[in-house]
Amino acid sequence: MRNLFVFHLIIVFFIICCSKTEHDDQFFERIAKDLNGELLSHNVSIIDKTKDNQIGIIILNKNGHNIGERCFILIFETDEDKRFLTGHNFQVDIIYFNEGLIIRQIGSRDIYYLGLDDYSSTFWINTLKSSYNIDFENILLGYSISSHQRVIEVPDELPSIRSIYDLFTDLNISETAIDTHDLKGTNCSSGGPGSSSCSIEDVWSGCSVSCKDGYYACCESGKNVCRCVKERQSLPTK
């Protein structure tokens, strides 16, 4: 009788585990569909230490682990506590939607939220917690979140670099300071002062960016660059 009871416990435990696994497999698919977001499951390299206070999630080409084909970049105003996934060539699930990124490493229950430091992120974080019972491992909020479709060189040893943009193979060094504040002589093909987001699309490449209040989105088709520019403060009138 005791052996039969133990056997039933084992069967129940097996069913619960299988049901949980099935739920996990479909979990991100359901969230992505509900958010009208893009679901990606790829090997990535993640760089979370740059002098320009950035996190870069580089999606690797399936034919070569040292070549990236897309990159998501979150930029902070200051040197934040960036407790996040880091490393080279490991698999994650990513949901990319208008307000940010939801990321989970395959084989882990830890889920991260990356977005803008504004009211929209607060709304989505609370919605995801209540509707999907997500307990985020960490929430990372910055002033700019962008997606870039282009060739990216990824070294085996992830360096401590000034900017993620330095890895973009089709940008000159002089053009990599594309996330600086109050840039002069900007030529926004899309976006511009007053715009919170913009995007450009080419045959082989493209990018998009969303910005928090106090910044405007600027997308330049000539350079294939999408960034946030700090709005100039008006001087007080006497």
Side-chain angles (χ1 to χ4, degrees):
M1 186 72 178
R2 182 179 178 182
N3 290 338
L4 184 60
F5 176 73
V6 172
F7 175 75
H8 281 134
L9 282 180
I10 293 173
I11 295 297
V12 170
F13 178 76
F14 178 76
I15 291 173
I16 292 174
C17 288
C18 289
S19 298
K20 186 63 178 176
T21 300
E22 182 181 354
H23 174 74
D24 287 346
D25 290 342
Q26 299 174 352
F27 189 49
F28 264 38
E29 291 182 15
R30 183 160 59 91
I31 297 175
K33 183 178 180 180
D34 291 347
L35 297 180
N36 195 29
E38 182 181 3
L39 177 61
L40 304 165
S41 184
H42 284 275
N43 279 32
V44 300
S45 284
I46 294 179
I47 299 175
D48 68 344
K49 293 181 180 179
T50 70
K51 295 179 181 178
D52 286 349
N53 299 322
Q54 304 166 340
I55 285 179
I57 301 110
I58 302 170
I59 295 179
L60 300 175
N61 189 294
K62 294 180 180 179
N63 298 322
H65 69 277
N66 288 104
I67 299 296
E69 59 187 21
R70 187 173 183 182
C71 183
F72 299 102
I73 300 175
L74 177 66
I75 309 178
F76 304 89
E77 291 179 306
T78 58
D79 187 13
E80 302 285 340
D81 172 22
K82 298 188 282 290
R83 180 167 49 86
F84 186 52
L85 300 169
T86 185
H88 179 52
N89 199 15
F90 61 96
Q91 192 174 17
V92 299
D93 286 328
I94 299 174
I95 296 173
Y96 176 53
F97 66 115
N98 287 339
E99 305 299 335
L101 295 166
I102 305 168
I103 300 177
R104 177 187 65 179
Q105 184 176 0
I106 300 298
S108 171
R109 295 183 182 275
D110 295 340
I111 299 176
Y112 298 82
Y113 183 95
L114 283 68
L116 296 177
D117 187 11
D118 61 12
Y119 67 90
S120 63
S121 285
T122 301
F123 169 80
W124 284 112
I125 290 165
N126 291 334
T127 299
L128 290 163
K129 285 182 175 179
S130 60
S131 300
Y132 301 97
N133 196 30
I134 296 178
D135 184 16
F136 290 105
E137 178 68 15
N138 201 8
I139 295 169
L140 302 164
L141 303 176
Y143 74 83
S144 168
I145 188 162
S146 55
S147 170
H148 306 263
Q149 193 90 25
R150 65 201 310 156
V151 177
I152 306 157
E153 290 185 350
V154 186
D156 286 323
E157 295 292 330
L158 296 180
S160 177
I161 56 178
R162 183 184 65 81
S163 171
I164 304 295
Y165 301 110
D166 292 340
L167 302 177
F168 290 2
T169 60
D170 56 343
L171 283 180
N172 295 324
I173 297 299
S174 61
E175 295 174 338
T176 58
I178 59 178
D179 57 320
T180 54
H181 300 177
D182 286 327
L183 292 180
K184 297 180 179 180
T186 56
N187 181 22
C188 304
S189 309
S190 176
S195 300
S196 60
S197 64
C198 64
S199 63
I200 53 176
E201 188 173 347
D202 204 344
V203 177
W204 303 108
S205 58
C207 59
S208 61
V209 66
S210 295
C211 313
K212 67 171 285 188
D213 290 343
Y215 296 81
Y216 67 85
C218 180
C219 298
E220 297 184 62
S221 59
K223 297 180 181 179
N224 190 23
V225 162
C226 298
R227 69 191 186 284
C228 297
V229 180
K230 192 173 182 64
E231 294 178 344
R232 297 187 179 187
Q233 300 295 324
S234 301
L235 295 175
T237 56
K238 294 183 180 181

